[in-house]
């Protein structure tokens, strides 16, 4: 089942798009089935669950932290995390840098932007990030590797609305690239799109989709 679903989704994605199989709440067996089908990138949203799965599963898996991360928990994933998607505050970025410094590892991160209408979704807005990038402390953060942006669209049936929000994130990415990251070849990831909206996200320029229920079934 999982293998077939993965195959179907992969068929939709061109080669430049990374598929993250979002395995939160799903058992080891389910992840192994996807792994055996060739899947290597997996996403989790809770640190404890992520660490448990990291310990039990093959070491060539790329683990993505896609949920809200608390500063005091960075230390548990700092040594192995492949990409932290939800960096949504300066404070968190500073703490990730501190953790990276301790173990001499540059930790890959995405800046999360608030594009949805809902109040509850975490993320920076444009003005905040500009203030930060113009700030001197930013240049001292040498143990974070900012590789792009991440966002979640509103939970709605209104495809026009979703499209508008993804397009907004793409514009934010383009502007950041132009103004601050043009010499940084690593800054190239646009993480947007989930089971229900990844096709729209891809049309709007996503190159990393995070898909859970369409692969593993509903949670
Ligand atoms: C759970 C989750 C997903 C996957 O959602 P599905 O609708 O199951 O595909 C993607 N991104 C984030 C941030 C999530 O928390």
């Amino acid at each position: 089942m999982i293998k077939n679903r993965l195959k179907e989704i992969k068929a939709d994605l061109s080669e430049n798009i990374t598929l993250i199989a979002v395995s939160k709440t799903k058992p080891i067996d389910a992840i192994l089935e996807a792994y055996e089908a060739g899947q290597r990138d997996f996403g989790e949203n809770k640190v404890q669950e992520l660490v448990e799965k990291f310990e039990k599963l093959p070491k060539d898996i790329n683990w993505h932290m896609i949920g809200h991360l608390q500063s005091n928990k960075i230390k548990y994933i700092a040594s192995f995390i492949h990409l932290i998607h939800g960096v949504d505050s300066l404070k968190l970025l500073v703490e990730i840098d501190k953790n990276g410094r301790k173990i001499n590892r540059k930790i890959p991160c995405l800046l999360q932007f608030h594009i949805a209408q809902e109040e509850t979704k975490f993320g920076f807005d444009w003005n905040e990030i500009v203030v930060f990038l113009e700030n001197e402390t930013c240049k001292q953060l040498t143990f974070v590797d900012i590789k792009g942006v991440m966002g979640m669209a509103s939970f709605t049936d209104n495809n026009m609305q979703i499209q508008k929000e993804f397009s907004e994130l793409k514009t934010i990415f383009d502007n950041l690239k132009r103004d601050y990251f043009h010499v940084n070849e690593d800054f190239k990831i646009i993480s947007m799109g989930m089971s229900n909206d990844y096709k729209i996200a891809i049309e709007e320029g996503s190159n990393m989709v995070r898909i859970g229920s369409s692969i593993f079934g509903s949670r």
Side-chain angles (χ1 to χ4, degrees):
M1 281 292 271
I2 290 172
K3 269 185 191 148
N4 291 341
R5 292 204 198 105
L6 255 178
K7 210 167 140 190
E8 277 169 25
I9 291 167
K10 284 286 236 191
D12 270 350
L13 306 178
S14 63
E15 269 184 21
N16 66 318
I17 299 171
T18 304
L19 169 62
I20 299 174
V22 175
S23 49
K24 62 190 185 196
T25 77
K26 297 294 172 183
I28 296 288
D29 286 355
I31 300 176
L32 272 178
E33 191 177 337
Y35 179 87
E36 275 153 19
Q39 181 64 27
R40 290 295 179 271
D41 289 84
F42 290 90
E44 291 284 336
N45 69 344
K46 296 214 165 67
V47 167
Q48 190 182 344
E49 190 177 340
L50 173 55
V51 170
E52 278 170 24
K53 287 173 174 172
F54 164 73
E55 283 166 357
K56 288 185 185 146
L57 284 156
K59 289 297 169 284
D60 61 340
I61 286 179
N62 297 326
W63 289 104
H64 296 253
M65 176 61 194
I66 62 169
H68 182 64
L69 180 60
Q70 288 169 292
S71 305
N72 60 345
K73 296 199 172 153
I74 302 165
K75 56 177 180 283
Y76 302 115
I77 60 171
S79 66
F80 70 87
I81 198 74
H82 184 72
L83 187 60
I84 298 175
H85 289 237
V87 178
D88 58 1
S89 73
L90 238 182
K91 177 174 169 277
L92 185 58
L93 207 55
V94 168
E95 289 299 322
I96 294 171
D97 179 76
K98 269 192 207 162
N99 279 268
R101 190 175 300 268
K102 272 188 205 151
I103 57 172
N104 195 27
R105 177 174 188 244
K106 210 171 156 119
I107 300 177
C109 296
L110 300 179
L111 302 172
Q112 181 173 1
F113 283 88
H114 183 93
I115 51 172
Q117 289 173 310
E118 291 112 70
E119 290 283 339
T120 52
K121 302 233 163 101
F122 298 100
F124 285 107
D125 64 39
W126 175 256
N127 293 332
E128 247 180 312
I129 207 71
V130 166
V131 169
F132 162 63
L133 291 169
E134 302 278 351
N135 189 307
E136 278 306 309
T137 48
C138 163
K139 295 174 186 101
Q140 291 158 16
L141 301 182
T142 48
F143 287 90
V144 288
D145 185 11
I146 300 177
K147 301 186 79 150
V149 301
M150 180 269 202
M152 288 165 87
S154 296
F155 185 71
T156 170
D157 294 336
N158 183 346
N159 286 351
M160 293 276 279
Q161 178 66 26
I162 294 173
Q163 185 181 12
K164 181 176 144 268
E165 292 170 3
F166 284 148
S167 148
E168 220 176 285
L169 186 60
K170 173 65 161 66
T171 303
I172 289 172
F173 172 85
D174 289 341
N175 291 343
L176 285 175
K177 183 82 191 166
R178 183 195 62 207
D179 296 345
Y180 301 100
F181 293 94
H182 51 281
V183 294
N184 182 344
E185 282 177 19
D186 279 353
F187 191 85
K188 60 183 174 201
I189 297 176
I190 305 172
S191 167
M192 60 185 189
M194 319 190 350
S195 292
N196 289 331
D197 57 19
Y198 76 90
K199 290 183 185 173
I200 305 174
I202 289 168
E203 275 169 25
E204 297 306 318
S206 169
N207 55 25
M208 188 172 270
V209 292
R210 309 175 308 268
I211 299 182
S213 44
S214 290
I215 297 172
F216 296 106
S218 60
R219 286 179 297 272

